[in-house]
Amino acid sequence: MPYRPLADEIRPQTLDEVVGQRHILGKDGLLRRIIDSGSIPNLIFYGPSGTGKTTVANIIAKRTNRPLHRLNATTASISDIKDIIGDIGTMLAPDGVLLYLDEIQYFNKKQQQSLLEFMENGKITLIASTTENPYFYVYNAVLSRASVFEFKPLESADVLPAVERGVRLMGARLGAEALCEDGVQQHIASACGGDVRKAMNAVELLLNSARREGDRLLVTLEDARMAAQRSAMRYDRAGDDHYDILSALQKSIRGSDPDAACHYLARLLEAGDLISACRRLMVIACEDVGLAYPQIIPIVKACVDAANLLGLPEARIPLGDAAVLMATAPKSNSAHIALDHAMADVRAGKTGDYPRHLQNRHADSAGQEREQGYRYPHDFPGHWVSQQYLPDALAGKRYYEYGDNKTEQAARRYWEEIKGREGGGT
């Protein structure tokens, strides 16, 4: 009998057997109602691996009377599409076909566009799946003809029944009773990162290598930890997970939550992405702590330099210092907001000539120098004197507002006292 992966053998055959995805497949879920209606539109399933996209596509295929064609975009070509299109309208497919296209993000624009005419007239019903955000990787013309449904990572409670069933099936396949130590199934269910396929692979590996005593297979928690190690990691340096983890790290530090900051930094470092971690921590130092604690920038820079010198795993030590320090530091985005406003004006053409007293003296021709009228601040008390610095078109414009932190408020009081001696000024 040919080998059949456990993940395939245990694949659900009905919607009621699909684990998780209650938001779209529950009793009142929109996708379930669409499938139950029997009128299947073009669909795009988006979500991580092992969350049921292919399973649901298979269930849909069984409910239609159309021939099912399967293509994987990583290996398919235009000729494969032409072969499918060639069957349409013939005795092989008089009413059209159902095309399941896995990993559609790997089809280029021309390949995707070759489907459009037949999607539009209903001769091809497309069910495409992708692990990447379809709004970035699927062309608009295809998106406009399809409904997108997001499949979410599964909770360990959703995966546990599948793990328990997988253990029973493997025991029956091997002709023995599987005896698991306490916590084995629960560990596999939680360590698979919401991916049923990963969980089944771990079960299959674990049972095939279990110690046999007569008609019993002994499965230990230590072996389960080895079989499922690091399998919970979901990370792709060029995909959504990369940007989601970086975003979560920055927002956690910005929100002054050191525990969440450590969690997301740990996920980056476990994935071995030291460069991204270092770069994002430097951004956070400048953008989110900023002038509330100006020394944070050289401090984080020193931590980043130390991390790059040490390499992983020791790099986690200075980066952990940086993450916790910034999460617990006062916050201010006043400086970068001020610059953003100034750049918006520059892009909008709000510039104007430099005030005469700010121009370089060499702007005048030799022998025709004009009086600039520049007042040298160091010649005045407090090293400040009132004069215009912005162009005439922007005179009086204010970009920077002092933050409400201790450092910036001290600077505000300092300059209010000095500038107040001359009655204010710009």
Side-chain angles (χ1 to χ4, degrees), residues 88-106:
I88 296 174
T90 69
M91 292 181 63
L92 295 174
D95 298 317
V97 300
L98 179 68
L99 171 61
Y100 178 58
L101 180 57
D102 197 14
E103 304 290 357
I104 189 176
Q105 73 270 17
Y106 290 106

Side-chain angles (χ1 to χ4, degrees), residues 121-191:
N121 63 25
K123 294 299 183 180
I124 287 180
T125 298
L126 175 69
I127 301 178
S129 68
T130 175
T131 55
E132 303 292 350
N133 190 328
Y135 298 100
F136 295 157
Y137 291 92
V138 180
Y139 289 93
N140 287 335
V142 175
L143 280 174
S144 68
R145 292 164 174 81
S147 298
V148 178
F149 287 93
E150 181 179 1
F151 283 60
K152 297 181 179 179
L154 303 175
E155 300 293 333
S156 59
D158 295 323
V159 180
L160 182 58
V163 172
E164 292 171 342
R165 183 176 171 222
V167 170
R168 291 193 299 271
L169 283 174
M170 282 298 300
R173 180 189 290 183
L174 296 170
E177 180 187 5
L179 295 180
C180 299
E181 284 185 355
D182 289 343
V184 166
Q185 292 99 326
Q186 291 82 354
H187 178 77
I188 295 173
S190 62

Side-chain angles (χ1 to χ4, degrees), residues 348-409:
K350 299 177 182 178
T351 52
D353 291 335
Y354 315 100
R356 169 62 190 164
H357 56 276
L358 298 188
Q359 287 184 317
N360 190 321
R361 290 177 181 270
H362 299 291
D364 297 331
S365 300
Q368 298 181 7
E369 294 86 353
R370 295 171 293 164
E371 175 58 37
Q372 283 190 300
Y374 173 62
R375 306 173 77 188
Y376 188 57
H378 296 299
D379 289 341
F380 295 84
H383 301 265
W384 181 84
V385 62
S386 178
Q387 63 185 329
Q388 179 182 321
Y389 290 96
L390 280 167
D392 289 341
L394 293 170
K397 177 81 174 186
R398 174 166 289 182
Y399 296 113
Y400 173 68
E401 298 289 346
Y402 288 100
D404 58 3
N405 56 82
K406 180 179 178 181
T407 301
E408 289 180 87
Q409 286 301 306

Side-chain angles (χ1 to χ4, degrees), residues 103-117:
E103 304 290 357
I104 189 176
Q105 73 270 17
Y106 290 106
F107 259 16
N108 60 36
K109 187 174 184 178
K110 183 178 180 180
Q111 289 171 309
Q112 291 188 30
Q113 286 178 331
S114 66
L115 301 169
L116 292 178
E117 176 187 348

Side-chain angles (χ1 to χ4, degrees), residues 235 237 242-243 246 249 265 268-269 272-283 308 319:
Y235 191 68
R237 295 192 189 198
H242 169 77
Y243 299 104
L246 291 175
L249 173 63
L265 179 59
L268 275 172
L269 298 182
D273 197 350
L274 179 60
I275 294 175
S276 294
C278 290
R279 291 181 62 187
R280 185 53 61 107
L281 289 173
M282 284 304 310
V283 169
N308 284 309
L319 295 188

Side-chain angles (χ1 to χ4, degrees), residues 71 75-86 107 111 114:
L71 290 179
T75 57
S77 64
I78 285 286
S79 63
D80 295 311
I81 299 173
K82 289 180 178 179
D83 289 342
I84 293 172
I85 292 172
F107 259 16
Q111 289 171 309
S114 66

